[in-house]
Amino acid sequence: MIALLEVAGLTAGYGAVRALHGIDLTVGENEIVAVLGANGAGKTTLLRALSGTVKAAGRASLGGLDLTRTGAHRIARAGLGHVPQGRGTFTGLTVEENVRLGLLSRPAGSRGQADGDLARIYETFPVLQEMRRRPAGALSGGQQQMLALARALLARPRLLLIDEPSLGLAPLTSADMFAVLSRLREEWSLSVLLAEQNARASLKVADRGVVLARGRVVATAPAAELAADASLRAAYLGTAADSPEGVTA
Ligand code: ATP
């Protein structure tokens, strides 16, 4: 079977600093893959390289589209959604204006379904509907993370890249956020590449995990296998200071 996302020998960096040294990974249709690794391992750079916001070389293909030779805007329209770390909320706009920004990256042919999609989004995230006329800056951290997901969904992605969604969230809020990913995967026929320092929580929702260390893949395995591997966790995942649950099982 051909994977939706196929990455081979992907390199990327910032000027003279190389952050990724040849990454290989795949994400299948409807699959959730967690990218794990300590601070600075290269998770954010990997997502940026795929969404075209950092220059990359090597092979990265989304349903046949060569991501290393395509601009960020076209990549988004081809069905790749990116929820960056920090969430990118425009705090001066209302909640609904923020969500509707997702419409700008919709693929041609799906314009007519925008109202229906917005209604589905409000069904999944009722708090966004309640707050829709309020400034987005009034939302809590967890609600802003939901807003960022909602905006990405409105662009109708096939593959969603999500960068550290649990960062800065309280444990219960973060658990809700991971639970919602399972639901979204089903309801929106999504594939997800999830970058997280919180290995325990992300491996609960993921099918497979890929562990990065210093810009290289050091392990790829089914999520349950990685979750049970204490020596791997000790060697590469460390203790995430930002993660309320820590990374140990
Ligand atoms: P974090 O959990 O802190 O986001 P990460 O696994 O996402 O970590 P990256 O942010 O991708 O890691 O960083 C990988 C490497 O690239 C690190 O050595 C980092 O210092 C470097 N780096 C990241 N962003 C930049 C930048 N804008 N300019 C220069 N170097 C950078």
Side-chain angles (χ1 to χ4, degrees), residues 26-44:
T26 60
V27 180
E29 296 279 359
N30 220 229
E31 191 179 30
I32 299 183
V33 176
V35 178
L36 307 172
N39 224 328
K43 306 180 295 297
T44 296

Side-chain angles (χ1 to χ4, degrees), residues 13-15 17-20 36-48 54 85 163-164 167 195-197 212 215 242:
Y14 304 91
V17 181
R18 187 172 269 204
L20 300 179
L36 307 172
N39 224 328
K43 306 180 295 297
T44 296
T45 306
L46 173 61
L47 301 199
R48 287 180 182 153
V54 155
Q85 211 177 71
D163 199 351
E164 301 246 8
L167 196 68
E196 258 298 335
Q197 282 195 41
L212 297 190
D242 290 324

Side-chain angles (χ1 to χ4, degrees), residues 97-184:
E97 283 165 345
N98 268 275
V99 174
R100 283 182 174 275
L101 288 175
L103 291 173
L104 299 175
S105 305
R106 270 168 100 81
S110 63
R111 299 279 152 73
Q113 298 140 27
D115 288 345
D117 282 353
L118 190 61
R120 278 167 75 196
I121 279 170
Y122 283 150
E123 207 176 293
T124 309
F125 305 111
V127 68
L128 296 182
Q129 182 163 35
E130 283 158 29
M131 306 270 283
R132 71 185 195 280
R133 294 191 215 289
R134 304 277 309 279
L139 298 179
S140 71
Q143 290 165 346
Q144 287 194 28
Q145 185 64 57
M146 301 297 172
L147 169 62
L149 276 175
R151 180 173 56 210
L153 286 172
L154 211 49
R156 280 291 187 107
R158 301 167 69 189
L159 172 68
L160 204 51
L161 312 179
I162 311 180
D163 199 351
E164 301 246 8
S166 78
L167 196 68
L169 302 186
L172 274 180
T173 315
S174 150
D176 281 352
M177 204 280 315
F178 285 114
V180 101
L181 288 184
S182 291
R183 179 173 168 194
L184 294 179

